[in-house]
Amino acid sequence: MKGKKILLLFVTGIALASCTKEELRPAPDKVDVTVRLHWGALPVAGGMNYCFYPTGGGAAVTEEGSGEAYQGALPSGGYRVLAYNTGTEGIAFTGMESYGTATAEVLPVSASTRADGLTLVSQASMLYAVTGSDELVVPRLDPVETGANVKRLTRSLRLTFKLSDTQGISSLEGTFNGVYPSLLLSTGEPGSIARSSAPQTAASFTAAVTSREFVVGVSLFGMKNPENGAAYRSTLRLSLKGGDGWRQDVDVDLTRALTDIFAAGGEEPAFEIPTAIDIRVEPTPVGFSASVEGWRLGEGSGEIKYGYYQD
């Protein structure tokens, strides 16, 4: 009996030792992580900035990678992920220390505040981003791979100018207010500051007048008031200039056209669907007048919807 008891204790001791050794196997400091980006019909950017925000607190991990995927290593834990393309122009990124405050801001132009109080901002370059991602959980030992959809945040608006006669006009400058000055990267939508600032923020453009009809493209972050789905009150101010130094300002109300565009397309100046507004400029006995002639939604990439005005 005594011999059997000793043998049983000896075998049990071996099993306990084996279990303890397995539990103490150290986990690596970092785990391999792959985040593959899904671009759909969008052009793949040459490079992306990847930001990983620990859900448990702590400093964000920021690295630059390819437009196809992030491939690197992270400490185990949970993360919220942001990514946006490199090489942007006219855009500043602020509040990047926190997932909820990370913001893309359109830079103001020089002498940015007009006499009427509007703040002029430059046109935004194309901004692509991963927004609203699910939590990425990095385990203690095993590599992890996931995917994320890329969204285009910059919208495009085309203004087609139709002149009954060039009447010596050599160039045209324009501004229109009611545009977002910034977007939250976590949602791709304007924050409270951007919404309150939009009515006093204006995009600007210039164009040489070489024919009676020409197109000006404007890139911006958005114009729709999220509170009611309509456009902010938006006025297009045109400064017509002649070669001999004369100048005349003409105002055009864009509010109705933009609101009708939003209602027809369900979106504001769209990502994939081009949006265009026709502006007619005509001479008068005392100078020039301008009016919205109509708009086109979807030209070149789907159903075309037209709107005309008889005002």
Side-chain angles (χ1 to χ4, degrees):
M1 290 293 292
K2 183 182 285 188
K4 290 183 179 179
K5 185 175 182 180
I6 293 172
L7 178 61
L8 178 60
L9 291 173
F10 179 70
V11 173
T12 303
I14 293 176
L16 288 172
S18 175
C19 180
T20 302
K21 182 177 181 181
E22 180 66 25
E23 288 180 349
L24 293 177
R25 181 165 66 93
D29 293 334
K30 294 184 177 181
V31 178
D32 290 337
V33 173
T34 300
V35 180
R36 299 198 181 279
L37 302 186
H38 306 310
W39 289 83
L42 297 175
V44 179
M48 297 286 284
N49 292 307
Y50 295 87
C51 306
F52 299 89
Y53 296 88
T55 55
V61 178
T62 302
E63 296 183 19
E64 187 173 328
S66 76
E68 299 284 350
Y70 167 82
Q71 292 179 303
L74 297 171
S76 61
Y79 297 88
R80 299 303 301 271
V81 183
L82 292 178
Y84 58 94
N85 58 299
T86 59
T88 56
E89 297 180 357
I91 300 175
F93 296 92
T94 62
M96 298 303 295
E97 65 277 1
S98 170
Y99 178 81
T101 61
T103 302
E105 297 181 355
V106 185
L107 293 175
V109 299
S110 57
S112 59
T113 302
R114 291 196 329 197
D116 57 8
L118 293 183
T119 298
L120 305 185
V121 294
S122 58
Q123 294 194 37
S125 64
M126 282 301 158
L127 179 62
Y128 304 96
V130 172
T131 66
S133 63
D134 295 330
E135 182 180 1
L136 170 66
V137 178
V138 179
R140 294 183 61 204
L141 297 175
D142 299 324
V144 62
E145 180 172 329
T146 188
N149 295 324
V150 178
K151 185 178 181 180
R152 176 178 164 181
L153 300 187
T154 304
R155 292 166 164 82
S156 298
L157 178 65
R158 291 202 311 268
L159 298 174
T160 302
F161 291 94
K162 299 180 179 181
L163 309 180
S164 59
D165 193 318
T166 57
Q167 291 288 315
I169 303 172
S170 60
S171 66
L172 176 151
E173 295 179 357
T175 63
F176 57 91
N177 65 304
V179 303
Y180 302 151
S182 62
L183 293 175
L184 292 174
L185 290 175
S186 58
T187 62
E189 301 294 333
S192 58
I193 296 177
R195 292 195 297 269
S196 62
S197 301
Q200 295 301 116
T201 303
S204 60
F205 60 87
T206 60
V209 177
T210 57
S211 64
R212 292 174 56 185
E213 183 171 326
F214 57 96
V215 177
V216 176
V218 183
S219 298
L220 42 84
F221 277 165
M223 302 181 69
K224 180 161 62 174
N225 187 340
E227 294 182 2
N228 57 20
Y232 293 97
R233 184 73 181 176
S234 181
T235 299
L236 170 64
R237 171 161 293 181
L238 301 176
S239 295
L240 310 175
K241 297 182 178 182
D244 56 358
W246 64 265
R247 167 177 172 163
Q248 181 178 342
D249 292 340
V250 181
D251 288 348
V252 185
D253 191 347
L254 294 182
T255 310
R256 177 181 171 185
L258 290 169
T259 297
D260 287 350
I261 287 171
F262 301 159
E267 283 288 338
E268 44 195 315
F271 304 121
E272 297 85 3
I273 303 175
T275 302
I277 298 177
D278 296 334
I279 309 293
R280 179 165 292 280
V281 179
E282 296 181 308
T284 69
V286 294
F288 293 89
S289 67
S291 60
V292 176
E293 183 180 65
W295 52 264
R296 300 182 305 282
L297 176 67
E299 184 176 283
S301 63
E303 181 182 0
I304 302 176
K305 299 179 181 179
Y306 293 91
Y308 294 101
Y309 299 114
Q310 304 300 322
D311 297 348

